[in-house]
Amino acid sequence: MRGTVWTAANQLGVVAGTPAELQSALLSGVPRTLRLGRTGQDPAAVDELARILREFGHVRVVVEQVADSGPPPSRPVDLADPAAVCAADPLLITAAYEKDTTGHGGLRTAWLRAGQALIRDQDPAGRATALLAALPAAAAPQLRATLTELAAGSCWSVSWARDRAGAEPRLPGPVAALTVAAGRLLIAERTGAVRYLDAEPHTAPASGRVTAMAATGDDTVLLLDERGRLHTRGPGTRLTAAVTATLAAHPGTALAAAGDTVLVGDRHGSVHAFGPAGVDQAAPHSGRVTALAATGTLVWSGGADGAVWLWSPGGTRRPAPLTERPCPVVALHAADTPEGPAVAVAWADGLAALHRPGTKGVPTFRPGPAIRAVAVIPGSGQLALATDEMLICLRAG
């Protein structure tokens, strides 16, 4: 069933590992058509998922009878051999790992964690990179070394990764937001606890689940909760107090800060820049603003419409979006690099992209689970991304 759900989720542009998660992910979207019956899928799982989704009523399900013309494998794949696993049919590997509960040094855990990304068509080096990023902390050292060799042809290398289980250093609770302060990666948990990587947490005065975070130049950390209200940890200023009061009456949907400017998005598609000289605003999106990033005088906004716009308070927005895809933006972050600002973007279908100045192409990465936050590490331009279970740092080749 898991492989069938992942295949359906990829087709529909959402992230899900169970029928219930698939239903939940589809609730906020328009009704769509799902075609099931791909070669290699378990017919019983296809029929069961079709039945569940038809009862849900929000998706038109078409089950296609596809003849399986591929010859069966001559022998079972060795599930402890990462090279064989990366080269085999990913749906067959998924089904095998569901039946075989042996850990295989951490390879099974990594596959089931990153599986929605792994079942997409890609070369073995890409699968090895995703598996390497998804490995549990306690994975066998030889497995990690082998996957690193197999991933050599990928456009990404894994700098480090943390998860919420296994050996130290351990990732704390689920990450809600990432940013950079004083050149260091700052992590906000859903509960409002804020910490630098490898440091002790400081409980922030958030009364609801955290959805966004920003750091100002005076060591103040700003947190936006799920109700759209602002909470301050640190000295604060008259400006942050004014923004807090504003959002108490008019909730925000996204948050960023740069210098002495605080930026807030709203559900109508507008971005408000609160600064010492007053408030400037733009309305770049159709629908809710879902993510903001800022550095210097530049602002990037992402929306439920899937677009990312570049804007400068007091100026005009660019004539075309930086990027646009047919699913909502869920996270943004920008940081200065020696070549200029780099921008990380993540979308609701589990894809992250890193836009770097002076380079051709935009490298993308899918960890498998839903991405909750992204950050560009200053100077190095590395990409950090968080899922519910992991925090991963990648270097683009």
Side-chain angles (χ1 to χ4, degrees), residues 190-193 203-210 223-225 227 231-232:
R190 288 181 191 167
T191 58
T203 301
S207 58
R209 285 182 22 157
V210 169
L223 298 172
L224 191 71
D225 70 21
R227 296 181 300 168
H231 305 270
T232 302

Side-chain angles (χ1 to χ4, degrees), residues 25 83 98 131 201 256 334 339 364 382 389:
E98 287 187 281
L131 282 169
E339 294 76 27
T364 62
Q382 295 180 85
E389 295 295 327

Side-chain angles (χ1 to χ4, degrees), residues 214-242:
T216 66
D218 62 350
D219 296 325
T220 297
V221 175
L222 303 176
L223 298 172
L224 191 71
D225 70 21
E226 61 189 345
R227 296 181 300 168
R229 299 184 179 183
L230 193 67
H231 305 270
T232 302
R233 186 174 68 79
T237 63
R238 293 176 61 184
L239 176 62
T240 57

Side-chain angles (χ1 to χ4, degrees), residues 32-364:
R32 282 177 276 182
T33 297
L34 171 65
R35 298 186 181 277
L36 294 172
R38 175 183 161 188
T39 300
Q41 291 182 347
D42 179 1
V46 170
D47 292 342
E48 177 65 8
L49 181 60
R51 182 190 65 78
I52 293 170
L53 293 180
R54 283 168 176 159
E55 289 179 354
F56 174 54
H58 200 65
V59 179
R60 178 175 175 262
V61 182
V62 177
V63 178
E64 300 171 331
Q65 301 302 323
V66 181
D68 190 352
S69 58
S74 58
R75 61 174 181 233
V77 175
D78 182 357
L79 297 179
D81 180 356
V85 165
C86 288
D89 183 321
L91 286 173
L92 294 179
I93 297 297
T94 300
Y97 276 137
E98 287 187 281
K99 295 176 182 177
D100 183 348
T101 58
T102 307
H104 299 296
L107 191 56
R108 178 181 183 272
T109 296
W111 185 279
L112 296 181
R113 179 180 278 167
Q116 187 171 334
L118 297 171
I119 67 169
R120 290 177 174 271
D121 291 335
Q122 59 192 297
D123 59 23
R127 285 203 179 96
T129 304
L131 282 169
L132 187 60
L135 278 181
Q142 184 55 48
L143 173 60
R144 197 177 298 275
T146 302
L147 283 173
T148 300
E149 292 177 5
L150 293 171
S154 171
C155 64
W156 294 99
S157 60
V158 180
S159 298
W160 51 261
R162 305 286 172 83
D163 66 9
R164 295 179 54 208
E168 298 290 349
R170 184 180 302 159
L171 185 68
V175 174
L178 296 171
T179 193
V180 174
R184 301 169 63 194
L185 186 64
L186 192 63
I187 302 166
E189 299 175 30
R190 288 181 191 167
T191 58
V194 176
R195 72 175 73 212
Y196 288 105
L197 190 66
D198 299 331
E200 290 298 315
H202 299 279
T203 301
S207 58
R209 285 182 22 157
V210 169
T211 60
M213 172 175 58
T216 66
D218 62 350
D219 296 325
T220 297
V221 175
L222 303 176
L223 298 172
L224 191 71
D225 70 21
E226 61 189 345
R227 296 181 300 168
R229 299 184 179 183
L230 193 67
H231 305 270
T232 302
R233 186 174 68 79
T237 63
R238 293 176 61 184
L239 176 62
T240 57
V243 177
T244 300
T246 299
L247 297 192
H250 305 283
T253 59
L255 178 70
D260 55 3
T261 302
V262 177
L263 298 126
V264 177
D266 68 25
R267 61 188 178 90
H268 302 293
S270 295
V271 180
H272 309 268
F274 296 86
V279 182
D280 198 356
Q281 66 180 28
H285 295 283
S286 172
R288 174 185 295 262
V289 178
T290 54
L292 288 170
T295 180
T297 60
L298 300 176
V299 177
W300 292 264
S301 63
D305 56 8
V308 176
W309 288 94
L310 174 59
W311 174 59
S312 182
T316 58
R317 77 180 187 197
R318 300 296 168 90
L322 171 70
T323 184
E324 188 172 17
R325 298 184 64 245
C327 59
V329 176
V330 294
L332 274 173
H333 187 258
D336 290 321
T337 70
E339 294 76 27
V343 183
V345 189
W347 283 271
D349 66 345
L351 180 74
L354 180 61
H355 294 258
R356 300 172 295 167
T359 60
K360 292 183 179 180
V362 179
T364 62

